[in-house]
Amino acid sequence: MRILVVEDDSAIAASLVRGLKSHGYEVELETSGDGAAARDPASFDVGVVDLGLPGRSGLELLELWRGRTTAPLLVLTAQSALEARLDAFALGAADFIPKPFFIEELVARIEARTGKTRVDPKQVVEFDGVRVELLNRRVAVDGHPVELTGAELNVLAYLLERPGRAVPRFELTERVLREDTTDSRTVDSHVARVRKKLGHAGAAIKTVWGVGYSFRP
């Protein structure tokens, strides 16, 4: 889903772009009303628009785009007066969200207005031809299912959910395998089998000498 964000405050704009991308959306940014006005409203699926913009205001954008797109237009603004809300809704706004806001709430409102539920990127991890569906507990390499044992999948999932972090062997032993032991050979055996079953992509699981393992695709 492609989202156009129209926001002139650089800090808020950066937070919006980063937050929406982290939830799996394609995001494009315009920092002025005039820049947004030059965009084809058919080129995005959702608009998130501030009201106080340089050049054309957010209300002028809503009026300009009215009737030219079926994309829901969400107003995100510090203007919380009733008059501003009524004006926005009269011009076709699908929702009105006052600042400050939580990105999770914005995502929920986008989903409610589009009728689409995003796929949480943490539920699906893809790298080097490997697709791991963490919630469904499915693994495929180059489109072919790969059978992992429960313990192997748990170790793999724990590493995938912590990309770039060096995970100590004792942490995998205690929190994933639930074993009360200082013997790390069991973890090493599980990791070795996971690497083998993933083929060339198994190289993404790096050994951190003296510590444990890290997922670094």
Side-chain angles (χ1 to χ4, degrees), residues 101-213:
F101 64 94
F102 293 98
I103 193 68
E104 292 82 3
E105 179 186 3
L106 176 59
V107 168
R109 289 174 180 266
I110 289 172
E111 292 178 357
R113 297 298 175 267
T114 60
K116 298 177 181 179
T117 302
R118 65 180 171 82
V119 175
D120 189 330
K122 293 182 180 179
Q123 295 177 6
V124 179
V125 179
E126 295 182 286
F127 64 98
D128 297 337
V130 176
R131 178 182 174 89
V132 182
E133 299 179 20
L134 298 175
L135 291 186
N136 295 330
R137 298 182 67 80
R138 297 173 184 166
V139 180
V141 177
D142 296 327
H144 301 289
V146 173
E147 295 296 329
L148 299 182
T149 66
E152 291 166 359
L153 185 53
N154 289 341
V155 168
L156 176 61
Y158 197 84
L159 294 172
L160 297 189
E161 291 172 336
R162 295 158 179 79
R165 177 189 160 195
V167 179
R169 286 182 174 85
F170 76 82
E171 186 173 325
L172 290 169
T173 300
E174 295 177 1
R175 298 188 182 180
V176 181
L177 301 179
R178 306 291 184 182
E179 296 179 0
D180 185 15
T181 176
T182 58
D183 187 354
S184 63
R185 288 177 295 180
T186 302
V187 170
D188 293 340
S189 297
H190 285 311
V191 171
R193 288 194 292 270
V194 169
R195 283 172 168 164
K196 182 177 181 179
K197 292 180 179 181
L198 296 184
H200 68 278
I205 301 176
K206 311 292 185 183
T207 298
V208 183
W209 298 108
V211 180
Y213 299 96

Side-chain angles (χ1 to χ4, degrees), residues 1 83 148 216:
M1 191 184 303
E83 183 179 0
L148 299 182
R216 298 175 185 170

Side-chain angles (χ1 to χ4, degrees), residues 5 50 61 69 80 82 89 99 135 156 165 215:
V5 171
D50 188 13
L61 286 177
T69 179
S80 58
L82 176 60
F89 286 126
K99 298 175 183 177
L135 291 186
L156 176 61
R165 177 189 160 195
F215 171 59

Side-chain angles (χ1 to χ4, degrees), residues 41-107:
S43 66
F44 54 86
D45 301 303
V46 178
V48 178
V49 182
D50 188 13
L51 291 186
L53 296 166
R56 294 177 189 248
S57 70
L59 291 178
E60 289 176 307
L61 286 177
L62 293 178
E63 185 174 17
L64 175 67
W65 287 335
R66 183 168 54 176
R68 297 176 55 197
T69 179
T70 58
L73 304 174
L74 288 72
V75 171
L76 185 64
T77 180
Q79 300 181 30
S80 58
L82 176 60
E83 183 179 0
R85 295 171 181 264
L86 295 178
D87 287 343
F89 286 126
L91 292 172
D95 209 339
F96 193 104
I97 308 166
K99 298 175 183 177
F101 64 94
F102 293 98
I103 193 68
E104 292 82 3
E105 179 186 3
L106 176 59
V107 168

